[in-house]
Amino acid sequence: MLDIKVVRQDPQAVADALKKRGFEFDVAGFVALDARRKQADVESQNLLAERKAASKQIGALIGQGMSVDDAKAQVNETLEKIAAQIDDLTGEAKQVQAELEDLLLAVPNIPADEVPEGASEDDNVEVASWGEPTALAFEAKDHVELGEALGEMDFETAGKITGSRFNVMYGNVARMHRALIQFMLNLHTGEHGYSEIYVPYIVNRDSLRGTGQLPKFEEDLFKLETDQGYYLIPTAEVPVTNVGRDRIFDDAELGEQGVKFACHTPCFRSEAGSYGRDTRGIIRQHQFEKVELVQFVRPTQSDDALEQLTGHAEKVLQRLNLPYRKVILCGGDIGFSARKTYDLEVWLPAQNTYREISSCSNFGDYQARRMQARWRNPETGKPELLHTLNGSGLAVGRTLVAIMENYQRDDGSIEVPEALRPYMGGAEVLSA
């Protein structure tokens, strides 16, 4: 959530900054609500002063010849009226404050200055690339054709079990999927300094509100039909980032590079806004898996931390020898809570294009303010908001797709990347 103090200071400047996203901030609505809140505060302060003055009038009334009982009765009557007015104003102030918070909960983060202008993914800017797009000496098959020919991808059975946008994997393809998870976790915990964490796959509304999924994206979530208000997680970002909710980290806990978690979870998304897109195969499914990287850092560290986190995700692709490019998202494509995002896009020969395989974002203090995730600054001794970051390191299913398509052979077999062979019992090739 945006800092309400910053918005109050110059709401028009905030509106101008949000135009980069194509978002229209309701300046007039905010100013009107804030004026109501200020007026309620002023009137409350005036009534408090009246109450203080009234409570001192008993002696003066007695001095004017009124009996003690009558003086007390008159003053008490005045105090009761003032108390009732104060209660009314306090209730109004709380209501207006709640309306202000609801308004700001629906406002996205302000993009960083370096985020490029643009309206859609077509305006994202490539900043780096690694490897050359795979050139096959034969017509490339996509992962669906390859997987079905191996007898190890079964969309028909998944449709019978559940419905569309689900998958059943068997044998070596299923084993490679598992191998990728192990490989990614070992790389991030062994070389990149992350602590592995296991979290619930079901979260409450407060957790989703804390990371910015609610109230904006409720239609994209799977809500459970229970009285507790539970949801299936859309990404490990939600439960892992909420580890810091309502918490104050000691400076020593942050160490030199902050708190860094790596987490493998399934993810569940209704994909309400993407009907008709990527319906073939496992590019965009209702259930998929990721290894997620989450960091809590001091505000002065988050810009550098984003570069490092993105590099950690890139290292997975490099170890697997998968060609990719790195793009910075434009204002019109950046996520709701992010202030800056890099996407990593892997080369898919069957589509003859790059496709997203990881998004790595710096959220600044946007999520931390919603969650009250803080650290105690040793220089001031006071709690201050942390900065949060996360990124996929990587999306497991899409990595599997990239391997199948980039490592395919003319006979339909698939070479196993060297980095994965220790996790595959030494297997070098997947074949029917």
Side-chain angles (χ1 to χ4, degrees):
M1 188 164 69
L2 299 182
D3 186 345
I4 194 168
K5 294 179 182 178
V6 172
V7 182
R8 281 175 180 152
Q9 186 175 1
D10 194 342
Q12 187 57 54
V14 170
D16 291 342
L18 287 168
K19 286 179 180 178
K20 182 181 280 190
R21 285 180 169 273
F23 182 87
E24 293 294 330
F25 177 58
D26 185 2
V27 174
F30 175 84
V31 170
L33 279 174
D34 204 37
R36 282 175 54 197
R37 181 202 58 81
K38 289 177 182 176
Q39 184 61 33
D41 286 346
V42 169
E43 292 180 15
S44 293
Q45 291 300 318
N46 290 339
L47 286 169
L48 287 172
E50 286 184 34
R51 184 174 68 180
K52 185 176 181 180
S55 64
K56 297 179 180 179
Q57 289 180 349
I58 295 176
L61 292 172
I62 293 172
Q64 295 172 9
M66 188 177 290
S67 70
V68 173
D69 289 343
D70 288 345
K72 287 182 177 180
Q74 181 172 320
V75 170
N76 285 338
E77 182 180 355
T78 300
L79 291 174
E80 287 175 1
K81 290 179 180 179
I82 293 174
Q85 291 175 293
I86 290 175
D87 286 344
D88 289 343
L89 285 170
T90 300
E92 181 181 353
K94 288 181 178 179
Q95 175 62 33
V96 173
Q97 185 64 30
E99 291 180 33
L100 278 170
E101 290 179 2
D102 286 345
L103 186 153
L104 291 180
L105 282 172
V107 176
N109 203 353
I110 295 174
D113 291 341
E114 61 268 28
V115 169
E117 301 282 350
S120 71
E121 62 183 19
D122 295 333
D123 300 311
N124 296 337
V125 178
E126 181 178 324
V127 295
S129 64
W130 188 90
E132 293 296 325
T134 303
L136 300 173
F138 51 89
E139 185 176 352
K141 299 180 179 71
D142 72 2
H143 68 283
V144 176
E145 189 175 356
L146 290 164
E148 290 181 337
L150 291 171
E152 295 182 346
M153 274 190 174
D154 186 351
F155 297 95
E156 183 178 349
T157 297
K160 177 179 67 177
I161 295 170
T162 310
S164 62
R165 296 202 178 191
F166 291 90
N167 179 34
V168 172
M169 292 182 285
Y170 305 96
N172 283 323
V173 170
R175 186 176 187 180
M176 181 177 283
H177 187 272
R178 172 166 56 90
L180 283 167
I181 296 165
Q182 292 292 100
F183 165 68
M184 293 175 191
L185 285 173
N186 287 350
L187 176 62
H188 296 313
T189 58
E191 297 186 24
H192 298 152
Y194 291 83
S195 296
E196 188 169 351
I197 185 172
Y198 173 84
V199 293
Y201 303 159
I202 296 172
V203 293
N204 56 34
R205 291 187 64 86
D206 287 342
S207 294
L208 289 159
R209 188 180 297 110
T211 48
Q213 278 77 18
L214 288 180
K216 176 73 172 176
F217 301 107
E218 180 137 17
E219 67 173 4
D220 293 323
L221 303 170
F222 282 113
K223 184 176 182 179
L224 303 183
E225 293 185 356
T226 66
D227 294 333
Q228 291 89 347
Y230 287 158
Y231 296 78
L232 295 176
I233 62 170
T235 165
E237 169 197 348
V238 178
V240 178
T241 308
N242 273 275
V243 167
R245 176 155 53 97
D246 297 324
R247 179 174 174 182
I248 301 174
F249 290 86
D250 290 331
D251 186 64
E253 289 183 87
L254 297 181
E256 292 185 3
Q257 294 188 334
V259 174
K260 299 161 63 176
F261 290 122
C263 185
H264 160 247
T265 68
C267 307
F268 306 91
R269 298 183 187 176
S270 72
E271 298 290 355
S274 60
Y275 290 117
R277 295 179 59 195
D278 301 320
T279 56
R280 179 173 168 83
I282 63 173
I283 294 291
R284 192 182 300 274
Q285 293 201 301
H286 293 308
Q287 175 186 309
F288 59 98
E289 304 199 22
K290 287 198 300 176
V291 171
E292 193 77 1
L293 307 177
V294 173
Q295 296 190 18
F296 300 94
V297 302
R298 302 171 186 86
T300 56
Q301 296 175 304
S302 66
D303 288 339
D304 289 340
L306 177 60
E307 303 300 324
Q308 293 165 6
L309 185 150
T310 307
H312 298 155
E314 290 181 75
K315 188 62 68 176
V316 178
L317 292 166
Q318 292 170 9
R319 292 286 176 86
L320 295 173
N321 199 29
L322 292 170
Y324 69 91
R325 67 177 184 175
K326 172 182 172 182
V327 301
I328 183 171
L329 300 195
C330 69
D333 196 36
I334 196 170
F336 181 82
S337 299
R339 69 184 301 269
K340 181 178 179 180
T341 298
Y342 291 117
D343 269 9
L344 302 181
E345 299 177 346
V346 69
W347 178 257
L348 296 184
Q351 296 187 21
N352 196 39
T353 191
Y354 289 97
R355 295 301 303 269
E356 178 202 335
I357 197 167
S358 174
S359 280
C360 302
S361 299
N362 179 3
F363 300 94
D365 61 12
Y366 187 88
Q367 291 180 328
R369 180 170 289 104
R370 295 167 82 111
M371 297 187 302
Q372 284 302 289
R374 295 171 291 170
W375 68 296
R376 194 172 300 279
N377 188 334
E379 294 183 2
T380 64
K382 297 179 180 179
E384 299 178 10
L385 292 172
L386 288 161
H387 280 196
T388 61
L389 305 96
N390 72 55
S392 302
L394 301 167
V396 180
R398 292 192 180 191
T399 308
L400 178 65
V401 168
I403 290 172
M404 293 176 71
E405 294 196 8
N406 282 279
Y407 280 85
Q408 65 180 291
R409 295 176 172 179
D410 194 12
D411 62 0
S413 63
I414 298 167
E415 183 182 349
V416 177
E418 287 188 15
L420 285 188
R421 292 175 186 176
Y423 300 89
M424 295 286 292
E428 298 182 4
V429 177
L430 307 186
S431 59

